[in-house]
Amino acid sequence: MSQKLNLFWLGAVAMGMALTAVAQEKPVDFATQVPLSVSGEGPWYRLELPLAVQLNARQSDLGDVRVFNAAGDQQAYALARQTAQTDDNRTLTDVKWFPLYNSADATEHTPSVRVQSSANGTLVEVQPSSQLEAGEEELRGWLLDASGIKAPLQQLILDWTSERDGFQRFTIEASDDLQHWQSWGEGQVARLTFADEQVEQHEVGLPGQSARYLRLLWEAPQSAPILTSAQLQSASPRNLPLPLVWSQALAGSSAKAGEYIWQLPMGLNVERVRVELEQPNSLAPVTLSGRRDSSLPWQTLSSGLLYRLTQNGQDVVQNELQLSGQIVQQLKLTVDERGGGLGAQAPTLKFAVRATQLVFLARGPGPYTLALGNSTVKAANLPLSTLIPDYSAGKLTTLGRASVDGGVVITSTAATVPVAMGTDWKKFGLWAVLLLSVLFLAAMAFSLLRKPPVKP
């Protein structure tokens, strides 16, 4: 009996070894293979996964992503990605604002000021550098005191008195000493009345950098409104969101007037969409809905006012909508036709998701290949802290870099279409071992069951 049990376990071990060998993944098991080039110091390399490459995956969580070396050996890897935007680490702070005056006929756009601050850098008073007579001063902008915020600034939120409606465009500059200023681009806010409803835009995106002071100078119109509130949203440096990556333009369809539908390549955590407004003087209040499958009901994701208007010879454009980051595969835009609509043909749409970084531990000979496109394999990625024993957020930026070689995606048919080449004798032999092991176990079980019990 003991000998038979030993044979039984030997057969089980043989079957397990055969199953392991059969399950060993190779590059040809994946529909898409992308050559990689590496630079910098290894053995760890960090790859920014292009969205065009990600869309070749068969699993929305990228569980079918792999990295192989030149010998076809799988490399250990980890994924740094965010499935949805979270605001848990974001802080909204009310800040003080100080007016920036200049004479109405001044040729220079930037007002000259005298500043008084406390020992910790908090602004106490801001005055024009020269005395302006009553009636000649003009409010050109505002100086915001962000000295109490140590985290990178993500968003600016403004509110102003009701006397100033319409669009307002201004420049944004940042400084730590009130002497040297760095441009942070332009901002745009608006308050409009449309079809007896008020549509407002208060938020302006910031580049995610730290600064003690912000200077806002109005361009159109040149005089600034009276602010009633100024807030800055910041995020911890340890938890800064990965940047957004945008898709190529996606064509849509329109089944009825004022309704447009787009089909995404796969279910994705979409955080922003951009509707291409080709016609000048377009104005459209819209509602954006989404769903994961055509059998599910539509869910409202966002709403807002899209426009492309000409003011003072320049186009003023607002064509983006913010989403929460939930997974969708279909998007529907419903337009209030009272604004003139967006035309019979569906406009093209671009969507943005959070960037995904892949870090792999290079082992064996290069070059290395990124493979993806297999709906049946299980995820094989490790936590970053396991892949890199002394991992820290700061160390991630010091790793060697990997990139898609030449930006070319090579799609293999081996994962979907049987390859009519020579017989794979190695795989044939492994399957033979597996079948023999199963037959052996069945015979052993049958023999044990037929043996009469031993009489005491």
Side-chain angles (χ1 to χ4, degrees), residues 30 32-36 47 49-50 53-54 65-68 358 368-372 404 410:
F30 299 84
T32 300
Q33 300 166 37
V34 185
L36 301 177
L47 169 67
L49 275 178
V53 173
Q54 293 185 46
V65 170
R66 300 289 188 271
V67 178
F68 296 95
L358 182 148
Y368 301 95
T369 300
L370 177 73
L372 66 168
V404 173
I410 299 177

Side-chain angles (χ1 to χ4, degrees), residues 116-322:
Q116 181 181 351
S117 60
S118 63
N120 61 5
T122 301
L123 295 182
V124 177
E125 188 178 19
V126 177
Q127 294 182 345
S129 60
S130 59
Q131 186 66 34
L132 297 176
E133 296 183 7
E136 73 170 3
E137 74 276 2
E138 185 176 45
L139 182 60
R140 290 292 179 85
W142 296 92
L143 184 63
L144 306 185
D145 184 359
S147 58
I149 304 175
K150 307 306 179 185
L153 305 177
Q154 302 289 313
Q155 193 175 61
L156 166 67
I157 305 171
L158 298 177
D159 202 359
W160 58 97
T161 55
S162 58
E163 289 80 10
R164 177 70 68 83
D165 286 348
F167 299 97
Q168 301 179 59
R169 193 173 74 253
F170 50 88
T171 61
I172 306 173
E173 297 171 293
S175 176
D176 288 330
D177 58 7
L178 295 170
Q179 300 295 322
H180 304 88
W181 294 90
Q182 177 187 5
S183 174
W184 275 11
E186 289 190 348
Q188 183 174 282
V189 293
R191 180 184 288 136
L192 304 171
T193 301
F194 178 83
D196 299 327
E197 296 182 7
Q198 196 168 68
V199 181
E200 299 184 354
Q201 177 187 339
H202 295 267
E203 298 82 12
V204 177
L206 298 177
Q209 302 175 24
S210 297
R212 295 173 66 86
Y213 312 104
L214 295 184
R215 184 168 67 186
L216 315 179
L217 296 177
W218 259 247
E219 289 192 329
Q222 284 196 347
S223 61
I226 301 298
L227 294 186
T228 59
S229 172
Q231 297 176 306
L232 288 170
Q233 188 180 77
S234 57
S236 166
R238 298 186 303 274
N239 299 306
L240 283 177
L242 293 170
L244 290 174
V245 290
W246 286 90
S247 71
Q248 298 294 319
L250 189 67
S253 61
S254 179
K256 63 180 180 178
E259 187 173 289
Y260 311 100
I261 295 178
W262 295 270
Q263 179 76 28
L264 276 60
M266 60 188 299
L268 295 166
N269 301 98
V270 178
E271 293 205 17
R272 196 172 297 175
V273 298
R274 179 183 298 155
V275 181
E276 299 301 323
L277 304 177
E278 296 183 356
Q279 295 182 351
N281 298 326
S282 297
L283 180 69
V286 299
T287 300
L288 185 70
S289 305
R291 59 186 180 185
R292 297 188 64 167
D293 187 82
S294 57
S295 62
L296 300 175
W298 292 102
Q299 292 185 341
T300 300
L301 304 177
S302 182
S303 62
L305 180 67
L306 304 181
Y307 52 82
R308 179 184 176 184
L309 303 172
T310 302
Q311 286 192 329
N312 300 324
Q314 291 185 331
D315 273 352
V316 180
V317 179
Q318 165 57 29
N319 60 354
E320 293 186 7
L321 294 172
Q322 186 80 32

Side-chain angles (χ1 to χ4, degrees), residues 7-26:
L7 290 173
F8 179 87
W9 288 115
L10 285 173
V13 170
M15 184 175 66
M17 292 176 63
L19 284 171
T20 301
V22 169
Q24 185 66 39
E25 297 161 0
K26 293 298 180 184

